[in-house]
Amino acid sequence: MLPWVVRRTRLPLLSLRCVDCPSGSATTGPGRFRVNANHKLLDVWLLVRCVSCDRTSKLTVYERTPVRSFDPAELRGYRLNDPALVASRLLDPQLARRNRFALDWTGAWRLHTPSEGPDQTWPVQVAVAFDDPVPVRPERLIAHGLGLSRGEVLRRIKCDIPLRRPRSTGFTFTVTAGD
């Protein structure tokens, strides 16, 4: 079985409307949090910038949360702008729903395949794993990985999942011999 892995190359863009310009995209850039104390309550925001006009906006991570409810390591990560914490918060579906944005993964991922191609013993099984929840259509991923047309993928691939629906979790497929 050949292992394929879909890995993130950078953080995805955010599909988020800018209040100053007609742009619909924003970026986290290097990733910064803003932590604001109000007595014993904290507000935590993730700062994002418009890709067109460079205006900074805030995405609410926590609002009026007691300081005692934070894990000390997590709070330190917010104060130090930990890149892993930025990525985990940005990929959190609850944060996206609460702040009304979607992730644009265009150009933000890469498929890693073994250096040796499939040998001539057909059929060949391939297991696809995702390091991050990158939504990608399996037929496009397979066509890219094997260098086939999408029509040929539909003819030669046997899979238990729909090939034309985006997927962000692992799956396996079998490649049959060509005509």
Side-chain angles (χ1 to χ4, degrees):
M1 184 172 292
L2 293 175
W4 286 7
V5 180
V6 176
R7 290 196 176 109
R8 175 174 49 91
T9 56
R10 62 169 172 81
L11 288 176
L13 293 177
L14 287 75
S15 294
L16 182 69
R17 180 166 294 195
C18 180
V19 296
D20 280 350
C21 72
S23 175
S25 293
T27 181
T28 58
R32 297 193 144 286
F33 289 105
R34 179 168 179 215
V35 180
N36 187 28
N38 186 359
H39 300 286
K40 294 181 181 180
L41 302 176
L42 288 181
D43 292 323
V44 179
W45 297 289
L46 177 62
L47 301 178
V48 296
R49 286 189 337 257
C50 175
V51 295
S52 296
C53 68
D54 214 30
R55 182 187 198 286
T56 301
S57 299
K58 301 181 293 190
L59 301 177
T60 303
V61 179
Y62 289 105
E63 191 170 37
R64 303 282 186 224
T65 306
V67 175
R68 289 184 182 184
S69 67
F70 284 94
D71 175 36
E74 181 183 15
L75 188 56
R76 187 172 36 260
Y78 288 129
R79 289 186 177 141
L80 297 176
N81 297 313
D82 180 25
L85 191 56
V86 170
S88 72
R89 292 300 170 249
L90 186 63
L91 299 177
D92 181 11
Q94 290 178 346
L95 181 74
R97 193 173 321 121
R98 187 171 48 242
N99 289 284
R100 296 186 178 129
F101 70 87
L103 298 176
D104 179 7
W105 285 95
T106 306
W109 60 273
R110 177 171 291 149
L111 176 64
H112 293 273
T113 60
S115 58
E116 71 276 353
D119 53 4
Q120 295 304 319
T121 58
W122 300 100
V124 176
Q125 284 195 327
V126 179
V128 180
F130 289 78
D131 283 351
D132 289 299
V134 179
V136 66
R137 287 175 46 181
E139 74 168 331
R140 289 186 180 184
L141 183 75
I142 296 167
H144 174 73
L146 295 175
L148 302 173
S149 69
R150 291 195 336 227
E152 193 171 355
V153 165
L154 294 175
R155 281 194 314 272
R156 292 183 58 191
I157 300 300
K158 304 296 181 216
C159 191
D160 293 337
I161 61 165
L163 294 177
R164 293 186 175 182
R165 288 197 182 146
R167 192 158 175 90
S168 59
T169 57
F171 63 94
T172 59
F173 64 91
T174 305
V175 184
T176 59
D179 295 338

